Amino acid sequence: MTDAAALPGQPRGAVAGPATARAVNILAPNPSAMTLDGTNTWLVAEPGSDLAVVIDPGPLDERHLKAVVHAAEAAGRRIGLTLLTHGHADHAEGAARFAELTGTKVRALDPALRLGDEGLGAGDVVTTGGLELRVVPTPGHTSDSLSFHLPADRAVLTGDTVLGRGTTMVSHPDGRLGEYLDSLRRLHSLTTDDGVSTVLPGHGPVLDDAQGALEFYLAHRAARLDQVRAAVEAGVTEPGEVVALVYAAVDRSLWPAAELSVRAQLEYLLGG
């Protein structure tokens, strides 16, 4: 058995519960090969404040959505705002119902996901109840992917851009590998320039070595790209065949997701 401290990013043993002084994870009951333990719904608040922000309410599961509300109430807070890292259903499907339960607006990059007049974009700073969250565009997994820098905790909430275990997919054709690599570099710069040390991911445990996790992700992507390039040079160009060759050691249930990443890699290699 491998010690968690030796794994990329130093993942913690527990997934749900308090993660930093300001962030608590309420785990959605939707575990799967793709969602790991389930979707992490983040309840974030400034200590002493009676207002909280929720990031990614998760799937349309009434018990989960009410559990998030109850977690805030148990801490003596009400929810003042809902944010989305991206529009995949396991993160965003419950947002409209959650807005009904809480009376909050929903802010997202994609206008189709917003409830209210305000969206989210590069350079935006969300301030609710004294909390400060800085919006970091991180497209690549999807075109609308965002991360949220929580400077007071030296943390970043990454949605699906960085996971607590394993690696994520590039959701071709919406996601693009070049943008994803740029996003990883952007997040890495937060660890070197802004002191970010903790990743609060959309799935899986908290990572206590943000820089190590980002360096692993970049190295992993480079290695996969080299493997796909070698396959193409050997005449293997059909995405499904590339998956069978390059991802042979990966659980077959994940091959459909791997094929999306392979399509993105092939597009990248061809300069698309």
Side-chain angles (χ1 to χ4, degrees):
M1 189 172 183
T2 304
D3 181 7
L7 296 173
Q10 296 182 12
R12 296 185 191 175
V15 175
T20 68
R22 291 164 179 79
V24 176
N25 177 23
I26 297 91
L27 184 64
N30 60 334
S32 71
M34 289 294 293
T35 61
L36 304 180
D37 310 84
T39 300
N40 295 338
T41 294
W42 290 101
L43 180 68
V44 190
E46 192 67 17
S49 174
D50 64 352
L51 285 177
V53 174
V54 165
I55 299 172
D56 290 350
L60 185 55
D61 181 296
E62 191 78 4
R63 290 182 64 184
H64 172 63
L65 299 178
K66 288 182 177 178
V68 177
V69 175
H70 293 159
E73 291 174 344
R77 297 187 171 105
R78 63 182 178 84
I79 295 164
L81 183 64
T82 302
L83 305 176
L84 297 177
T85 61
H86 65 297
H88 279 168
D90 58 311
H91 293 257
E93 184 185 37
R97 173 58 180 151
F98 190 71
E100 290 179 355
L101 291 171
T102 59
T104 60
K105 296 179 180 179
V106 177
R107 296 182 64 183
L109 178 61
D110 185 350
L113 299 171
R114 301 173 191 166
L115 291 175
D117 297 330
E118 288 187 285
L120 291 170
D124 285 350
V125 179
V126 176
T127 55
T128 300
L131 182 74
E132 179 182 312
L133 287 166
R134 301 175 185 174
V135 179
V136 183
T138 47
H141 169 68
T142 60
S143 62
D144 68 329
S145 287
L146 298 172
S147 295
F148 297 98
H149 178 199
L150 179 56
D153 283 349
R154 299 175 62 198
V156 61
L157 297 106
T158 55
D160 282 356
T161 299
V162 177
L163 305 180
R165 280 195 300 273
T167 56
T168 195
M169 67 174 180
V170 178
S171 299
H172 182 273
D174 179 50
R176 299 175 68 89
L177 181 59
E179 291 181 344
Y180 184 65
L181 294 173
D182 287 343
S183 292
L184 293 179
R185 297 183 189 107
R186 189 172 299 118
L187 291 173
H188 187 269
S189 73
L190 292 180
T191 72
T192 57
D193 300 341
D194 295 275
V196 165
S197 59
T198 304
V199 172
L200 307 178
H203 301 278
V206 171
L207 301 176
D208 285 318
D209 177 13
Q211 188 171 114
L214 269 301
E215 289 173 353
F216 169 77
Y217 262 60
L218 285 163
H220 171 80
R221 283 292 165 189
R224 281 291 194 220
L225 197 57
D226 283 344
Q227 290 175 311
V228 172
R229 184 182 291 109
V232 171
E233 290 173 352
V236 181
T237 58
E238 288 297 319
E241 295 176 352
V242 174
V243 169
L245 180 64
V246 173
Y247 290 81
V250 174
D251 188 320
R252 282 178 175 256
S253 68
L254 298 175
W255 279 18
E259 183 170 331
L260 295 179
S261 287
V262 163
R263 288 180 181 276
Q265 290 163 333
L266 292 170
E267 179 183 70
Y268 180 81
L269 290 172
L270 293 172

